[in-house]
């Protein structure tokens, strides 16, 4: 069940799911506009103007689901608004959810049983607080700590390698899934860079993507065309007059 970005609903209509033993995943994520807000804007009366999903309506339903011994629920994604507030009600649910009801086998190595792991991140002051760990968002299979490659820093989700590959920036070590594709790869050294570290530049002459370590690039301040150092020398590039 995915209610991503749904507007003007409180969650009371989810009551038929109470005590469900077949629901495997529920995504209550806010819309993109809600996801990018932070600081004081997050708690302003106008943010998010359409977000009405109530913890008092939804969390008791989730509590009734995880209370079942034969529950199928494997993955829960909370709204950013709830994760920022860290209400007592949400904290208590996470503590109950973190108690394993049965052994969980890693979908990638088969041998490793995922034990003693907190399924919900409860690291104090972490931006990932309230996000589910060790579980693929797509197939809801569990991933042991030896096989996981980390959360995608853009969509805040984790995937197994079968569902969605994840690349890691070689400078800051942040992970980005292939669905977000914010990493660029230098064609010379095969190093991955995120946009915050060192963007790979495309030469308008040779059409190669290279990082500044492998080949410096020069930009024209008027037409904004870019040339790598090699092409600028080889073709005697003439820059626009400023």
């Amino acid at each position: 069940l995915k209610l991503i970005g749904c507007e003007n609903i409180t969650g009371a209509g989810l009551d038929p799911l109470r005590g469900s033993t077949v629901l495997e995943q529920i995504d209550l994520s806010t819309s993109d506009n809600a996801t990018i807000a932070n600081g004081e804007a997050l708690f302003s009366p106008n943010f998010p103007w359409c977000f009405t999903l109530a913890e008092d309506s939804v969390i008791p339903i989730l509590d009734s689901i995880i209370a079942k011994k034969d529950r199928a629920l494997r993955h829960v994604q909370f709204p950013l608004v709830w994760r920022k507030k860290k209400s007592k009600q949400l904290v208590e649910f996470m503590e109950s959810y973190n108690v394993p009801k049965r052994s969980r086998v890693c979908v990638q190595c088969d041998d490793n049983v995922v034990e003693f792991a907190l399924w919900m991140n409860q690291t104090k002051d972490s931006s990932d607080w309230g996000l589910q760990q060790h579980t693929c968002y797509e197939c809801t299979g569990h991933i042991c700590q030896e096989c996981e490659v980390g959360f995608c820093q853009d969509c805040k989700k984790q995937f197994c390698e079968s569902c969605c590959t994840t690349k890691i920036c070689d400078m800051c070590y942040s992970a980005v899934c292939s669905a977000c594709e914010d990493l660029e790869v230098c064609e010379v050294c095969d190093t991955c860079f995120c946009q915050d570290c060192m963007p790979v530049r495309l030469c308008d002459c040779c059409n190669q993507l290279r990082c500044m370590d492998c080949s410096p690039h020069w930009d024209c301040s008027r037409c904004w065309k870019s040339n790598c150092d090699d092409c600028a020398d080889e073709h005697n590039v003439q820059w626009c007059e400023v």
Side-chain angles (χ1 to χ4, degrees):
L1 176 66
K2 296 183 180 181
L3 303 178
I4 304 171
C6 288
E7 302 177 1
N8 301 321
I9 61 173
T10 63
L14 298 177
D15 198 66
L17 296 176
R18 189 177 295 272
S20 172
T21 57
V22 296
L23 183 67
E24 293 187 3
Q25 181 181 38
I26 182 166
D27 189 340
L28 306 171
S29 301
T30 47
S31 64
D32 292 340
N33 289 334
T35 301
I36 62 175
N38 52 44
E40 294 181 1
L42 181 64
F43 299 100
S44 68
N46 296 325
F47 172 73
W49 65 269
C50 59
F51 187 78
T52 55
L53 201 60
E55 292 179 275
D56 290 341
S57 297
V58 178
I59 293 182
I61 298 174
L62 296 178
D63 279 328
S64 71
I65 294 175
I66 66 172
K68 297 291 185 179
K69 291 183 177 180
D70 55 345
R71 75 186 192 201
L73 188 64
R74 298 165 64 91
H75 190 277
V76 181
Q77 193 90 358
F78 293 118
L80 177 64
V81 180
W82 292 7
R83 295 197 295 108
K84 288 285 188 178
K85 286 183 178 179
K86 300 180 182 179
S87 69
K88 180 181 178 182
Q89 193 174 19
L90 181 60
V91 171
E92 289 177 349
F93 169 80
M94 289 171 54
E95 290 175 349
S96 298
Y97 187 77
N98 277 332
V99 177
K101 298 295 184 182
R102 58 182 180 272
S103 62
R104 292 152 167 163
V105 179
C106 176
V107 295
Q108 293 187 193
C109 65
D110 293 329
D111 296 330
N112 290 334
V113 177
V114 187
E115 294 180 314
F116 310 113
L118 291 178
W119 301 107
M120 290 291 178
N121 187 317
Q122 290 183 282
T123 304
K124 187 178 180 181
D125 299 326
S126 170
S127 60
D128 292 338
W129 189 94
L131 290 174
Q132 183 153 346
Q133 308 174 116
H134 316 302
T135 307
C136 175
Y137 178 83
E138 194 67 29
C139 68
T140 68
H142 298 304
I143 311 168
C144 70
Q145 292 179 331
E146 294 181 4
C147 293
E148 67 181 9
V149 292
F151 280 102
C152 172
Q153 297 303 312
D154 279 5
C155 63
K156 294 295 183 180
K157 297 179 177 69
Q158 189 167 30
F159 301 92
C160 66
E161 288 297 321
S162 298
C163 291
C164 185
T165 57
T166 303
K167 294 182 179 179
I168 297 178
C169 175
D170 290 308
M171 291 197 70
C172 68
Y173 302 109
S174 61
V176 180
C177 70
S178 57
C180 294
E181 294 183 342
D182 276 344
L183 292 187
E184 295 179 326
V185 182
C186 174
E187 295 180 9
V188 178
C189 62
D190 291 328
T191 303
C192 293
F193 298 101
C194 68
Q195 295 295 324
D196 293 333
C197 289
M198 186 184 296
V200 174
R201 304 296 300 278
L202 175 66
C203 175
D204 291 310
C205 184
C206 64
N207 291 321
Q208 282 192 319
L209 285 166
R210 288 182 283 191
C211 66
M212 295 295 286
D213 283 343
C214 290
S215 180
H217 279 66
W218 306 94
D219 295 329
C220 175
S221 60
R222 184 172 180 181
C223 68
W224 298 108
K225 286 187 177 181
S226 177
N227 283 112
C228 65
D229 212 20
D230 295 337
C231 290
D233 290 339
E234 181 180 352
H235 301 289
N236 191 25
V237 173
Q238 300 296 315
W239 302 107
C240 299
E241 295 182 3
V242 179

